[in-house]
């Protein structure tokens, strides 16, 4: 292990994952804890304990900690201004963690961290401009522009799931007041909703029978049945894939990126989702952008946020290190 | 006039506007020529003549020329890869102009140049992140991100008008293969189309009578009648304004900008367009972005592209000047 290590932490609505990373972003130790439904005080204790545990297990000195959290963050203050699934809204998360851990702490949106992981060590290595969509229950977004993470004026940018693609579409989720966002039309939630609808319409399909048998139609079930060859499940994934493709076309036109990276749990559907997405994007994007921008699957799976948070901590170390010193 | 000046040129589908600018972006001489319908050879001659005329009129030495052109540009080569209204597609525009003019030439998309003008001397001075929409027959886009113009991986980025907001909406214009783009729902073309439709439905209105009298219902007429108080015309502008507001909400969520600047000919409608746009954006954007991002009218009118092209030429001079030299 190299002399200088950091800890990357991915905090989700239900779990915290902390890992020790070296300067090449190799992960050396991991700790995983449930945080489901915890009130703020207990949540903070569980996070601190997880970080301390992984720190104790590391055989190297830890220089800083990076956090990816599912919140909008005002980077001027380190405060989460919007947090859907965690009780940390309006809390000075960065400062609290720095005080508790006695280490420099850096905090960013979890989807930004996934984008940074892909840029440093994954599907967006070597490019200058990348759009990264992380698709699970919702859709998180991260932007690499001109070779660096783009955060927006106060650090809350790249909410790429909250782009309207259907002006009178369904009401969006959580704290979003909008209608017809990409998130409500191409996320795991959309997959479950459309899968349930299609199951009801096609009772002879495996999907329809699963619904009739009382099973919950969620993204995992639709994906499983589609891989088994069920046409109703395949059609559901294609519908969601086409919606995703509309969003990808928008981002190709807006950013003229080198690459659009699609990650998150929904990607378990593989080409059953990606092929319709690519076709729809190719039909809609301006030719110049379409011909330049590759549409690829993310390199990192569930550890993307943790690896990216570690990369953030390493980046920030680099900025504070005196010029000319050896890393 | 300061010692060092540049020429900014705005090339449109029907006209070329060239001006001499000093280091503070003051415009000192202007030449305006029609280029409507000219074939490529004649078009180049008219542009060269316009630039030479304004250069001869200037009482300062000209160091460089900047062009804003209504094309997608591959900045690696200076070639226009897409040009809707001008016969310069696949032509090495930058190199041809540099050879003909005997000066350093820099070329960028006209909407990018309008954004640069607003950033250097207009409604986006002093911010780090700005989204600039220029709304005329189409919708051009420019992005100032992290305090600099964002161009995309090969220089064709920020086609902000070609973002789908209505997945099954009307076919878009020109070379765009898409449906339901912001451009087809919130441009001057959309204003004319919806104004014609509403005029047909409301024959008692001034707008309806104008149509019955055989007048062409275009953006200028709708705007004029709305300023006269005609409710049908006011409703038409409100409809287009709300569509624009959907696009603004998307850009607030994507970029978390300090400011969204709306310019172009359609802005003659003033608050009759802007108020509904602001209301719709406020209804739809995430609260953090909504509360930070101002929505304002552009400072520059028809000269935005020329001023921005001059700013581009000045920026590029700054890059090539030896370090420590006095500007």
């Amino acid at each position: 292990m190299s002399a200088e290590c950091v800890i990357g932490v991915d905090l989700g609505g239900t779990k915290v994952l902390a890992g020790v990373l070296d300067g090449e972003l190799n992960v050396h130790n991991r700790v995983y804890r449930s945080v489901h439904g915890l009130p703020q005080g207990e949540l903070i204790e569980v996070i601190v304990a997880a970080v301390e545990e992984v720190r104790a297990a590391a055989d190297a000195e830890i220089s800083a900690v990076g956090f990816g959290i599912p919140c909008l963050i005002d980077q001027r203050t380190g405060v989460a201004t919007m947090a859907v699934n965690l009780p940390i809204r309006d809390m000075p998360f960065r400062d609290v963690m720095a005080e508790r851990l006695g280490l420099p702490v850096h905090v960013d949106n979890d989807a930004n961290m996934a984008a940074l992981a892909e840029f440093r060590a994954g599907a967006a290595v070597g490019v200058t401009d990348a759009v990264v969509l992380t698709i699970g229950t919702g859709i998180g977004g991260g932007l690499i522009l001109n070779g660096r993470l783009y955060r927006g004026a106060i650090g809350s940018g790249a909410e790429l799931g909250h782009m309207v693609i259907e002006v009178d579409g369904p009401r969006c989720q959580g704290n979003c007041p909008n209608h017809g966002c990409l998130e409500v039309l191409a996320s795991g939630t959309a997959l479950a909703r459309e899968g349930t609808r299609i199951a009801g319409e096609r009772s002879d399909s495996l999907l329809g029978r699963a619904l009739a048998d009382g099973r919950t139609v969620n993204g995992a079930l639709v994906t499983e049945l589609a891989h088994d060859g069920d046409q109703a499940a395949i059609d559901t994934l294609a519908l969601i894939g086409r919606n995703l493709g509309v969003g990808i076309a928008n981002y190709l036109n807006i950013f003229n990126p080198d690459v659009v990276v699609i990650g998150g749990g929904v990607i378990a559907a593989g080409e059953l989702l990606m092929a319709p997405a690519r076709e729809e994007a190719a039909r809609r994007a301006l030719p110049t952008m379409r011909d330049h921008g590759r549409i690829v699957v993310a390199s990192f799976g569930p550890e993307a946020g943790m690896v990216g948070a570690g990369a953030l901590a390493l980046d920030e170390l680099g900025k504070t290190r005196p010029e000319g010193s050896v890393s």
Side-chain angles (χ1 to χ4, degrees), chain A:
Chain A
M1 198 183 296
S2 68
E4 193 162 61
C5 284
V6 297
I7 292 173
V9 186
D10 182 36
L11 178 60
T14 59
K15 61 97 188 65
V16 58
L17 173 64
V20 173
L21 293 100
D22 64 30
E24 284 74 47
L25 293 180
N26 301 303
V27 184
H28 292 271
N29 308 80
R30 292 171 177 83
V31 165
Y32 185 99
R33 292 282 176 275
S34 169
V35 300
H36 188 65
L38 297 182
Q40 187 182 103
E42 288 176 47
L43 173 67
I44 298 300
E45 294 308 319
V46 169
I47 297 169
V48 169
V51 174
E52 292 296 0
E53 184 178 333
V54 79
R55 186 182 188 180
D59 55 357
E61 186 153 356
I62 300 299
S63 305
V65 184
F67 280 89
I69 65 177
C71 307
L72 295 193
I73 297 148
D74 187 334
Q75 286 287 354
R76 298 171 299 187
T77 58
V79 170
T81 60
M82 192 174 117
V84 176
N85 296 313
L86 284 171
I88 57 174
R89 188 176 158 190
D90 294 334
M91 186 194 131
F93 185 86
R94 181 184 63 200
D95 295 348
V96 167
M97 281 296 151
E99 191 182 327
R100 289 295 305 272
L101 297 169
L103 284 168
V105 166
H106 308 283
V107 180
D108 207 330
N109 176 266
D110 54 355
N112 283 357
M113 296 300 85
L116 193 59
E118 297 297 333
F119 179 52
R120 292 273 185 252
V125 165
V127 311
T128 58
D129 301 283
V131 175
V132 182
L133 299 175
T134 302
I135 311 183
T137 309
I139 296 184
L143 294 169
I144 305 295
L145 303 180
N146 290 322
R148 52 184 281 209
L149 188 65
Y150 177 77
R151 291 191 171 87
I154 63 168
S156 301
E159 280 295 327
L160 306 184
H162 296 287
M163 169 178 68
V164 174
I165 62 168
E166 190 177 334
V167 65
D168 296 316
R171 175 79 158 75
C172 196
Q173 316 186 111
N175 289 357
C176 178
N178 215 337
H179 286 257
C181 291
L182 187 64
E183 170 158 316
V184 76
L185 293 166
S187 63
T189 306
L191 187 54
R193 185 189 65 234
E194 295 303 312
T196 303
R197 179 180 65 76
I198 289 172
E201 291 169 7
R202 293 161 70 169
S203 54
D204 283 350
S205 65
L206 292 180
L207 195 63
R209 275 179 265 160
L211 181 69
D213 290 347
R215 294 182 68 182
T216 301
V217 176
N218 56 23
L221 178 64
V222 174
T223 300
E224 178 196 324
L225 296 180
H227 283 309
D228 288 346
D230 181 56
Q231 195 59 45
I234 290 170
D235 292 348
T236 305
L237 283 171
L239 171 65
I240 299 302
R242 287 195 300 274
N243 287 342
L244 176 60
V246 175
I248 292 172
N250 283 359
Y251 288 125
L252 287 171
N253 287 348
I254 293 169
F255 292 107
N256 178 210
D258 299 296
V259 65
V260 178
V261 181
I262 309 295
V266 167
I267 214 64
E271 284 305 306
L272 293 172
L273 181 81
M274 291 296 287
R278 285 198 186 92
E279 284 162 20
E280 189 72 20
R283 261 196 295 272
R284 288 178 176 267
L286 291 167
T288 303
M289 281 64 157
R290 178 198 67 204
D291 294 346
H292 182 77
R294 290 175 295 123
I295 301 167
V296 302
V297 170
S299 298
F300 290 97
E303 297 203 329
M306 179 185 76
V307 173
L312 172 70
L314 285 166
D315 283 1
E316 294 292 332
L317 275 181
K319 285 182 197 163
T320 55
R321 190 175 291 127
E323 225 175 305
S325 72
V326 179
S327 68

